[in-house]
């Protein structure tokens, strides 16, 4: 199957829930060429910058190749016998409540199915939760309250048939770029209106008709007002409402709600409500700005209420649309991988469901109550209630709120197992047992995307070393625990068939998730499985749900919920006057274990940052490129300040991606409070109260190197470049011996040095040279270092002339930070072309430089540069004088 010149294999991108199809061609040297699959219904050939860079992230550097017990390499027999005996021992001595699994929406359905069966059916505990608790739990709870099941009613085609698309708490342009591109493409032909509801300005706002910059957490008040306006404007659908309970109570709550708490003007609110009301075909897309909130479930129901009341659901071009984050967030919900679910959308607390599943599995023990949800699971690990914990495909020491307490809990737990593809994560470093997992492109299985489309991930590369697929590791552990028959799987197709057969039970209870039509699929048909949307049963094939007004509550009706607007968990006050919002950037994936390996992805935003409003920056005395220290009762962080009116005064925005491996002082979940939604248990990751102050180091530094560095500074952030690495540094104690510090940093004790120092100004510039080539360079100053970073990043490995100037010679171009990751086009190159070529539009820039013409992920950024073009600034200045 591997080797150069072989045919392309269809697979699915391992990143976001868009679920794009990819075509993979191994290059024969361990790498892959990747392009978009023109026949996949999610992307029709398009890919974003992350998907296109997949081939650059597959190297073996950093891969975990063998099992480890207490840091020593061992074999599978020793490692898995230990895992099996410690889990059985814990259950025997302390009961099933003493063990737990913490999983991930990035696991394949087959992995997830085996884990859920092992924990719920055989170890007899419901202590199995996943990072979906941090991600989709509020949507799951909201869907169940309204529909009786966790059903996404619509399909991606609705995005192309809608006349109005509302993005609520979703930065689709960066987080689901291909869906965003699909919307923008139809917008050109159809004139679809686009509204963004987000407390900060994002790339998704660039092409929007309206941006409602509401106060954090106030979405319920806005949608309550919409419901009132729909009612008063006569826009309710009386026929459809005969299938819906709860209109009266929902309206009463909506009338009692006050939209003023959104901080939006009445004219903004009225304009939004009237646009929504007069547009029949409206899709409301929502994501983490809705889910990650102490009122997340109510926010979801406030949105669903408006769609149910108008019957705008399940029909072409309309409906509420929760976009899933991870590639298999939806699959995890299907297998029932959360602590309060059973399997195939059946209910843990429903006796007939439980008995049916128990009989199907031949399970010795089944819990009848929900287990511990993520936050409580780690608390139990920390206080000794949990004796054995297995973490698979997620990095909770970085991504959980109160991350320091979570790290301490993982460390304190008697026995922790981590399955990962690398040992270099903050979580893996705390494990007793480390198990090497096969990575994407090395394993087979299925994932389900945001619109219920099941797609195959396929193996085209051999797993390195002793690495094995997650389902295989779990099934082997199950056999070693004594359940040989139940876990005798030899291939993922067997697991898929069992899962599909079990879903038939769900169908027989009248539930939505039924793929029993695939229960007898042959190995060959599983290998060839084309993307298809569930349900796949005798009575239903794909399509939308709920146009017929049939829901999954016992009475067959939907429910509107009375919802009240509650502010985020803690109020801003004198001690903690700022509200910390956190989220994603375009070119990194979560804790960066894969995307940070691709230099072009790190080129977009190479350093973590905190966005702060100019007014607040002034009050704190923070200058551009200065450093900020943020603190909450749970921890502190140091971050580069980006002064911008994109955020509101009193708000801060910090990306979630940096870790102990890449920028320890920017591991932002240390600060985030573990306040959770009372219904879903989902943490409020977007509204922690914090204090902020200027952080004034004695020196700032910038370094480039062809080899990895070992920074010991108080502040550092490291990123990949095409020639090696770059790092930002800062330290509190003054740097008396820059040369000695540089030799330590770069581990180059013998290299020749070129050095320029100005002791009075406290400036040092030095390069370490071997064989006439720059190996590394360090620039330090008492102020943020002003050098051309993108130019210097290209130097290691090249001749040493002129390096100490820190800038390109006049005849050499300085590209600036990467904007277009596909063609490596920098911001300065684009600005230069705009200025000198008179370019007026994103298409002009594409025609001149190719930038933005491939995946399109950077088109909003190019639009931003065009908006800043110098002649416009000049014109505006002229106008104001
Ligand atoms: N590039 C990239 N893409 C990704 C990922 C990634 O790591 N990198 N991760 C994937 C995953 S797992 C997920 S879950 C998705 C997340 O996708 P998104 O939810 O789109 O991403 P976020 O940046 O977490 O948050 C979205 C927005 O919510 C806003 N927000 C904060 N508070 C509020 C509020 O009270 N109300 C409203 N209306 N908005 C608010 C934030 O300002 C932010 O712009 O992205 C997926 N795609
Ligand atoms: N403050 C704040 N915190 C957040 C969020 C936020 O918006 N704000 N968002 C939350 C959300 S929505 C999410 S989804 C989480 C994401 O957070 P995490 O799930 O913790 O982040 P990842 O980096 O995706 O972790 C995946 C891990 O799996 C490993 N891995 C990769 N491939 C494989 C494989 O095939 N098998 C195995 N076994 N391991 C593999 C990777 O190396 C990595 O260590 O973060 C949450 N935390
Ligand atoms: S939008 Fe990008 S990250 Fe998401 S699935 Fe498609 S290619 Fe992958
Ligand atoms: Mo997520």
């Amino acid at each position: 199957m591997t080797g150069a010149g072989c045919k392309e294999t269809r697979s699915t991108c391992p990143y976001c829930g868009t679920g794009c199809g990819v075509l993979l061609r191994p290059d024969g040297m361990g790498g892959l060429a990747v392009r978009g699959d023109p026949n996949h219904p999610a992307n029709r050939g398009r890919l974003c910058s992350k998907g296109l860079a997949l081939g650059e992230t597959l190297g073996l550097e950093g891969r975990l190749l063998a099992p480890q017990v207490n840091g020593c390499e061992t074999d599978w027999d020793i490692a898995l016998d230990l895992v099996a005996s410690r889990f059985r021992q814990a259950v025997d001595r302390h009961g099933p409540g003493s063990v737990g699994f913490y999983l991930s929406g990035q696991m394949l359905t087959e992995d997830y199915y085996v884990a859920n069966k092992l924990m719920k059916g055989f170890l007899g505990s419901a202590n199995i939760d996943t990072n979906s608790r941090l991600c989709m739990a509020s949507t799951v709870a909201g869907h169940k309250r309204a529909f009786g099941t966790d059903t996404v009613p619509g399909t991606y085609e609705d995005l192309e048939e809608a006349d109005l698309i509302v993005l609520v708490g979703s930065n689709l342009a960066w987080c689901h770029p291909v869906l965003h591109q699909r919307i923008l493409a139809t917008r050109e032909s159809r004139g679809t209106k686009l509204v963004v509801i987000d407390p900060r300005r994002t790339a998704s706002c660039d092409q929007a008709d309206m941006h409602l910059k509401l106060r954090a957490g106030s979405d319920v008040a806005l949608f309550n007002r919409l419901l009132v306006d729909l009612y008063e404007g006569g826009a309710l659908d009386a026929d459809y409402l005969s299938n819906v309970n709860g209109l009266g109570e929902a309206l009463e709550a909506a009338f009692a709600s006050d939209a003023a708490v959104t901080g939006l003007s009445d004219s903004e609110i009225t304009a939004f409500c009237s646009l929504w009301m007069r547009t029949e075909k409206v899709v409301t897309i929502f994501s983490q700005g809705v889910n990650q909130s102490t009122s997340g479930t109510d926010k979801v129901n406030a949105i669903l209420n408006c769609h149910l009341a108008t019957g705008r659901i399940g029909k072409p071009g309309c409906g509420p649309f929760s976009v899933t984050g991870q590639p298999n967030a939806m699959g995890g919900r299907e297998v029932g991988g959360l602590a309060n679910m059973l399997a195939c959308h059946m209910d843990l607390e429903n006796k007939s469901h439980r008995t049916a599943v128990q009989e199907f599995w031949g399970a010795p023990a089944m819990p009848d109550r929900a287990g511990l949800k993520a936050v409580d699971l780690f608390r139990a690990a920390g206080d000794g209630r949990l004796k054995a914990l297995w973490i698979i495909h997620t990095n909770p020491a970085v991504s959980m709120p109160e991350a320091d307490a979570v790290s301490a809990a993982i460390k304190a737990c008697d026995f922790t197992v981590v399955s990962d593809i690398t040992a270099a994560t903050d979580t893996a470093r705390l494990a007793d047992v480390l198990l090497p997992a096969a990575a994407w492109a090395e394993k087979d299985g299925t994932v389900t995307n945001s619109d219920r489309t099941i797609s195959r991930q396929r193996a085209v590369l051999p797993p390195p070393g002793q690495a094995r697929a997650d389902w295989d590791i779990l099934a082997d552990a199950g056999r070693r625990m004594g359940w040989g028959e139940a876990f005798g799987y030899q291939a993922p197709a067997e697991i898929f068939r069992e899962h599909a057969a079990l879903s038939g039970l769900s169908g027989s209870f009248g539930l939505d998730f039924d793929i029993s039509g695939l229960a007898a699929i042959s190995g060959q048909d599983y290998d060839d499985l084309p993307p298809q949307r569930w349900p796949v049963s005798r009575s239903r094939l794909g399509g939308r749900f709920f146009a017929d007004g049939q829901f999954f509550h016992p009475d067959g009706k939907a429910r509107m919920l009375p919802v009240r607007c509650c502010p985020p968990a803690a109020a801003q006050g004198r001690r903690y006057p700022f509200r910390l919002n956190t989220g994603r950037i375009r070119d990194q994936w979560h804790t960066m274990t894969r995307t940070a390996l691709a230099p072009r992805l790190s080129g977009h935003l190479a350093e973590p940052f905190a966005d702060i409003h100019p007014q607040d920056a002034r009050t704190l005395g923070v200058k551009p490129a200065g450093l900020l220290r943020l603190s909450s009762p749970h921890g502190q962080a140091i971050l580069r300040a980006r002064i911008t009116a994109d955020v509101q005064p009193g708000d801060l925005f910090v990306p979630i991606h940096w870790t102990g491996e890449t920028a320890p002082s920017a591991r932002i979940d240390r600060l985030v409070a573990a306040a959770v939604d009372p219904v879903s248990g989902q943490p409020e990751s977007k509204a922690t109260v914090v204090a902020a102050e200027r952080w004034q180091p004695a020196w700032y530094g910038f370094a480039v190197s062809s080899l990895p560095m070992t920074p010991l500074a108080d502040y550092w952030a490291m990123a990949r470049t095409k020639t090696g690495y770059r790092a930002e540094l800062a330290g509190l104690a003054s740097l008396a011996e820059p040369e000695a510090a540089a030799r330590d940093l770069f581990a180059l004790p013998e290299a020749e040095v070129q050095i320029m120092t100005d002791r009075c100004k406290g400036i040092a510039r030095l390069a370490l040279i071997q064989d006439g080539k720059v190996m590394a360079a360090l620039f330090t100053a008492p102020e943020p270092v002003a050098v051309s970073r993108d130019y210097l990043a290209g130097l290691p490995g090249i001749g040493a002339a002129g390096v100490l100037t820190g800038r390109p010679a006049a005849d050499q171009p300085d590209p600036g930070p990467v904007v277009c990751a596909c063609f490596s086009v920098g911001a300065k190159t684009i600005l230069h072309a705009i200025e000198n070529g008179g370019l007026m539009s994103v298409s002009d820039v594409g025609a001149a430089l190719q930038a933005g013409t491939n995946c399109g992920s950077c088109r909003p950024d190019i639009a931003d540069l065009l908006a800043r073009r110098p002649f416009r600034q000049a014109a505006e200045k002229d106008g104001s004088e």
Side-chain angles (χ1 to χ4, degrees):
M1 213 184 342
T2 57
C6 58
K7 282 212 326 249
E8 284 181 313
T9 302
R10 304 207 123 79
S11 190
T12 314
C13 174
Y15 297 127
C16 84
T18 303
C20 296
V22 289
L23 293 172
L24 309 179
R25 188 196 298 275
D27 62 12
M29 295 178 299
L32 276 185
V34 180
R35 68 181 180 107
D37 179 353
N39 294 320
H40 196 288
N43 56 319
R44 297 183 200 131
R46 289 191 178 96
L47 291 180
C48 77
S49 44
K50 293 181 295 301
L52 281 164
L54 273 165
E56 291 169 34
T57 63
L58 303 174
L60 293 188
E61 185 195 333
R63 280 296 293 273
L64 176 63
L65 299 174
Q68 289 181 11
V69 173
N70 298 324
C72 300
E73 281 197 3
T74 182
D75 61 27
W76 279 107
D77 278 337
I78 291 175
L80 283 184
D81 279 343
L82 180 66
V83 171
S85 73
R86 292 296 297 260
F87 272 79
R88 288 291 312 241
Q89 211 177 63
V91 173
D92 292 346
R93 291 192 189 154
H94 306 281
S98 69
V99 296
F101 286 172
Y102 184 65
L103 313 177
S104 163
Q106 296 166 64
M107 290 167 73
L108 303 176
T109 298
E110 292 75 2
D111 305 329
Y112 236 136
Y113 179 86
V114 178
N116 194 48
K117 178 178 176 182
L118 179 57
M119 184 50 89
K120 294 211 179 102
F122 290 78
L123 287 163
S125 166
N127 289 341
I128 168 169
D129 217 42
T130 91
N131 60 6
S132 282
R133 185 68 60 197
L134 319 177
C135 183
M136 303 312 302
S138 297
T139 287
V140 173
H143 281 164
K144 286 177 84 168
R145 290 205 301 194
F147 308 145
T149 52
D150 172 24
T151 315
V152 171
T155 69
Y156 287 162
E157 287 76 50
D158 293 325
L159 307 181
E160 274 139 7
E161 295 187 46
D163 293 313
L164 167 63
I165 291 180
V166 185
L167 300 179
V168 196
S170 155
N171 184 8
L172 207 73
W174 278 10
C175 297
H176 299 84
V178 166
L179 287 184
H180 194 69
Q181 290 301 319
R182 277 180 74 164
I183 292 171
L184 294 187
T186 28
R187 187 174 146 80
E188 288 209 349
S189 54
R190 189 185 172 96
T192 320
K193 293 264 186 290
L194 185 61
V195 175
V196 178
I197 301 175
D198 195 309
R200 73 185 177 115
R201 188 182 179 283
T202 66
S204 304
C205 302
D206 278 331
Q207 310 257 341
D209 298 279
M210 209 185 272
H211 172 205
L212 300 181
K213 218 170 177 180
L214 83 181
R215 268 194 207 120
S218 65
D219 306 71
V220 169
L222 181 63
F223 281 88
N224 268 345
R225 165 67 184 276
L226 174 61
L227 186 63
V228 167
D229 280 15
L230 291 168
Y231 170 74
E232 291 184 336
L236 302 195
D237 181 338
D239 279 351
Y240 197 82
L241 278 165
S242 64
N243 305 311
V244 180
N245 291 320
L247 171 68
E249 294 91 325
L251 267 176
E252 200 179 317
F255 271 104
S257 191
D258 182 1
V261 300
T262 60
L264 299 168
S265 70
D266 211 50
S267 63
E268 283 175 298
I269 297 176
T270 310
F272 165 66
C273 292
S274 115
L275 179 61
W276 209 98
M277 178 150 50
R278 61 174 194 266
T279 317
E280 187 62 32
K281 289 189 166 185
V282 45
V283 173
T284 309
I285 292 179
F286 54 98
S287 187
Q288 299 315 333
V290 168
N291 293 337
Q292 291 173 337
S293 154
T294 42
S295 57
T297 310
D298 283 352
K299 287 188 187 186
V300 171
N301 287 111
I303 294 169
L304 301 187
N305 281 349
C306 296
H307 282 274
L308 286 169
T310 50
R312 293 177 185 175
I313 182 167
K315 298 173 194 154
C318 40
F321 205 125
S322 144
V323 280
T324 49
Q326 299 175 90
N328 203 28
M330 188 71 94
R333 286 145 73 177
E334 291 155 10
V335 302
L338 287 161
N340 51 333
M341 300 169 117
L342 182 53
C344 299
H345 287 191
M346 284 179 274
D347 255 324
L348 195 60
E349 289 170 36
N350 177 319
K351 191 157 187 288
S352 1
H353 291 185
R354 218 169 44 237
T355 311
V357 177
Q358 182 157 11
E359 281 172 9
F360 181 91
W361 279 343
M366 293 269 286
D368 56 8
R369 216 157 309 148
L372 297 170
K373 297 181 180 133
V375 168
D376 292 331
L377 187 75
F378 285 100
R379 284 186 179 144
D383 66 21
R385 277 174 291 153
L386 223 58
K387 307 292 179 196
L389 172 65
W390 192 346
I391 298 166
I392 306 177
H393 211 322
T394 175
N395 192 358
V398 180
S399 56
M400 282 284 295
E402 297 178 22
D404 281 349
V406 169
S407 302
I410 297 170
K411 207 163 169 198
C413 187
D414 281 359
F415 185 67
T416 316
V417 186
V418 170
S419 300
D420 205 299
I421 57 168
T422 169
T425 80
D426 294 19
T427 303
R429 290 191 191 283
L430 302 168
D432 299 300
V433 176
L434 264 180
L435 302 176
W440 177 80
E442 298 163 1
K443 59 180 180 179
D444 277 288
T446 52
V447 290
T448 311
N449 72 2
S450 295
D451 86 338
R452 290 181 274 113
T453 299
I454 300 171
S455 297
R456 280 290 317 267
Q457 274 193 17
R458 294 185 173 91
V460 292
L461 300 172
Q466 299 184 47
R468 289 164 68 180
D470 286 307
W471 67 264
D472 185 28
I473 302 171
L474 281 156
D476 195 346
R479 292 193 291 273
R480 285 169 204 260
M481 288 174 195
W483 300 300
E485 204 183 324
F487 295 95
Y489 311 110
Q490 297 300 312
E494 291 170 36
I495 305 166
F496 184 84
R497 277 194 290 270
E498 184 177 315
H499 173 53
L502 179 57
S503 77
L505 284 181
S506 166
S508 70
F509 286 116
L511 298 175
D512 59 341
F513 180 71
D514 185 344
I515 55 165
S516 56
L518 298 168
I521 191 170
S522 69
Q524 188 60 50
D525 286 348
Y526 176 78
D527 279 348
D528 298 340
L529 190 73
Q532 58 188 291
R533 188 176 289 136
W534 62 259
V536 186
S537 68
R538 216 174 302 156
S539 54
R540 286 198 71 156
L541 203 60
R544 300 178 176 86
F545 279 94
F546 308 141
D548 57 3
Q550 279 303 302
F551 292 88
F552 295 98
H553 284 300
D555 61 3
K557 295 189 177 186
R559 280 197 196 133
M560 288 175 64
L561 272 287
V563 282
R564 240 168 18 94
C565 185
C566 298
Q572 285 155 284
R574 211 171 335 165
R575 191 127 187 245
Y576 298 110
F578 288 91
R579 206 171 274 296
L580 172 66
N581 180 4
T582 59
R584 290 151 174 83
I585 63 170
R586 192 189 78 190
D587 286 354
Q588 293 297 349
W589 178 259
H590 297 164
T591 70
M592 291 166 66
T593 59
R594 289 173 288 169
T595 40
L597 302 174
R600 62 173 150 153
L601 295 182
S602 293
H604 179 230
L605 290 164
E607 190 189 12
F609 56 86
D611 282 346
I612 182 169
H613 191 273
Q615 232 166 282
D616 293 326
R618 216 170 307 133
T619 313
L620 298 181
V622 180
K623 301 236 171 64
L627 289 162
L628 265 177
R629 181 172 167 278
L630 310 187
S631 53
S632 84
H634 309 288
Q636 49 172 290
I638 300 167
L639 295 142
R640 186 78 57 188
R642 283 202 329 189
I643 301 170
T644 165
D646 287 353
V647 294
Q648 304 186 35
D651 284 359
L652 301 164
F653 175 81
V654 175
I656 59 172
H657 307 288
W658 278 268
T659 70
E661 303 288 319
T662 45
S665 70
R667 189 164 64 94
I668 199 63
D669 265 304
R670 300 172 79 183
L671 276 71
V672 175
V676 300
D677 177 281
V679 186
S680 68
Q682 177 155 359
E684 184 157 69
S685 317
K686 296 209 163 356
T688 291
V689 291
V690 300
E693 63 188 333
R694 186 163 74 110
W695 189 74
Q696 185 63 59
W699 61 276
Y700 296 81
F702 177 72
V704 291
S705 165
S706 49
L707 299 169
M709 302 174 230
T710 32
L712 294 169
D714 299 294
Y715 171 82
W716 63 267
M718 191 154 40
R720 281 303 158 103
T721 64
K722 280 199 189 120
T723 59
Y725 299 81
R726 60 188 273 182
E728 300 288 344
L729 307 155
L732 288 170
S734 63
L735 204 58
E737 298 293 340
E739 184 181 331
R743 290 191 184 280
D744 286 349
L745 173 66
F746 303 123
L748 288 171
E750 307 290 330
E752 183 191 326
V753 66
Q754 267 187 19
I755 187 160
M756 241 167 65
T757 50
D758 182 334
R759 283 195 187 275
C760 298
K761 290 192 181 149
I763 291 172
R765 297 178 161 211
L766 60 91
L768 294 179
I769 295 159
Q770 269 174 2
D771 302 326
K773 289 186 179 139
V774 179
M775 294 298 291
L778 174 66
F779 296 77
T780 66
E783 297 295 325
V785 175
V787 288
S788 170
R789 286 164 165 70
D790 303 286
Y791 163 73
L792 289 177
L795 281 186
I798 300 178
V803 58
L804 295 188
T805 61
R807 316 208 153 277
D811 59 345
Q812 282 177 303
D814 172 10
V818 174
V819 172
C820 170
C822 297
F823 296 112
S824 291
V825 188
K828 288 191 183 161
T829 308
I830 296 174
L831 279 170
H832 186 260
I834 291 170
E835 199 176 346
N836 295 310
L839 309 182
M840 300 298 288
S841 68
V842 176
S843 317
D844 287 354
V845 173
L849 300 169
Q850 282 189 298
T853 56
N854 190 31
C855 76
S857 309
C858 63
R859 290 171 73 87
D861 304 59
I862 297 174
D864 222 35
L865 291 175
L866 281 158
R868 286 199 264 140
R869 62 180 172 266
F871 57 81
R872 175 173 295 183
Q873 280 168 10
E876 279 163 6
K877 207 165 160 204
D878 288 350
S880 68
E881 275 170 7

